[in-house]
Amino acid sequence: MTRKVKDDGRASRWDAHRETRRAELVAAAVRAVDSAGAEVSIADIAAEAGVSKPVLYRYFADKAELHGAVGMWAARQILDAVVDAVLAPAPTRQRVEAGVAAYVETIAEHPNVYLLLVRQHTGGTDPLADGKQLIAATFARLLGDTFGRLGVDAAGAEPWAHSLVGIGESAGQWWLDRRTMSRAAFTRYLSEFVWHALEGTTAEYGVDLSALDRPEIVTPLRKSPR
């Protein structure tokens, strides 16, 4: 005979507490990386959080899982900034430029965090994998909606979106590592590249991307739930 256990909500309360605590520890990890640099140790992160390493590992199975959680935090920061900029009322090219500027500004606010994540990627497991998938899925939806409104075949939206994510990751790492030009110059070059990639794609289908600025075509896009 199976004994029925009354659900008094303790499991759900523990799950909520665990997620809150994980978020606090991720925030501490971000602060530690900001301060100590991309070579920060787990001991540094635990010290910043005010806990011991064993306590930290109660919430993250290992270093890779912690880095993955920081990667998702970074992805959401980027996604929120870029989507807000792209969906703001403005001519199409200005919105593309604003989206690129928002991306560059976001990684410039936490350069050590971004460099930690991309360097971990080159060394093994990619802590940005889930975050990049989230960004690419959102970009694919936005591109699909945009090209659909222009009457353009949107079947390529997903590979185009992943291409944009790859370009952003590679170019962002190059700029943060080298700093051979100002942020304004880097933003301008990157936004020009992205704009002409999008403009050239629609031109291949015989459509002018600036047609999105016409009142009869412009309709509000909605954010994807995250």
Side-chain angles (χ1 to χ4, degrees):
M1 179 176 171
T2 302
R3 182 181 177 184
K4 293 183 179 180
V5 178
K6 182 179 179 180
D7 181 6
D8 59 4
R10 281 180 292 182
S12 60
R13 287 197 298 273
W14 167 247
D15 288 342
H17 166 77
R18 182 176 179 80
E19 287 307 308
T20 298
R21 190 65 178 128
R22 277 173 61 95
E24 292 170 351
L25 294 172
V26 167
V30 170
R31 293 193 303 272
V33 178
D34 281 342
S35 175
E39 304 304 319
V40 66
S41 69
I42 291 296
D44 292 330
I45 293 172
E48 176 63 35
V51 300
S52 65
K53 286 172 63 176
V55 169
L56 190 64
Y57 284 128
R58 289 179 194 170
Y59 294 90
F60 301 96
D62 52 26
K63 186 177 182 179
E65 185 178 339
L66 175 58
H67 285 165
V70 173
M72 181 58 75
W73 173 88
R76 290 186 183 280
Q77 296 295 309
I78 291 169
L79 192 56
D80 284 344
V82 172
V83 171
D84 284 346
V86 168
L87 298 187
T92 304
R93 181 158 187 172
Q94 288 182 22
R95 289 192 284 121
V96 171
E97 292 170 347
V100 172
Y103 165 69
V104 176
E105 180 179 359
T106 302
I107 66 171
E109 287 177 356
H110 300 280
N112 290 334
V113 173
Y114 189 82
L115 288 173
L116 166 70
L117 296 170
V118 296
R119 287 170 182 170
Q120 288 294 319
H121 178 196
T122 57
T125 303
D126 183 3
L128 282 168
D130 291 342
K132 287 189 293 189
Q133 183 58 45
L134 174 66
I135 294 173
T138 304
F139 283 4
R141 176 185 171 276
L142 293 175
L143 288 172
D145 286 353
T146 298
F147 288 128
R149 287 155 54 202
L150 290 170
V152 171
D153 179 11
E158 191 167 0
W160 294 331
H162 280 274
S163 297
L164 289 174
V165 171
I167 290 167
E169 179 183 15
S170 178
Q173 180 182 5
W174 172 84
W175 179 67
L176 290 175
D177 270 330
R178 302 292 184 85
R179 298 291 184 132
T180 52
M181 64 178 64
S182 67
R183 188 170 86 183
F186 173 65
T187 300
R188 183 176 71 252
Y189 288 131
L190 185 57
S191 63
E192 287 172 352
F193 187 89
V194 172
W195 168 256
H196 288 297
L198 296 173
E199 185 184 43
T201 298
T202 53
E204 284 290 317
Y205 293 92
V207 176
D208 182 358
L209 191 57
S210 64
L212 286 171
D213 299 331
R214 297 204 301 265
E216 67 271 21
I217 291 182
V218 174
T219 55
L221 291 170
R222 295 172 297 173
K223 291 185 182 181
S224 295
R226 295 190 292 279

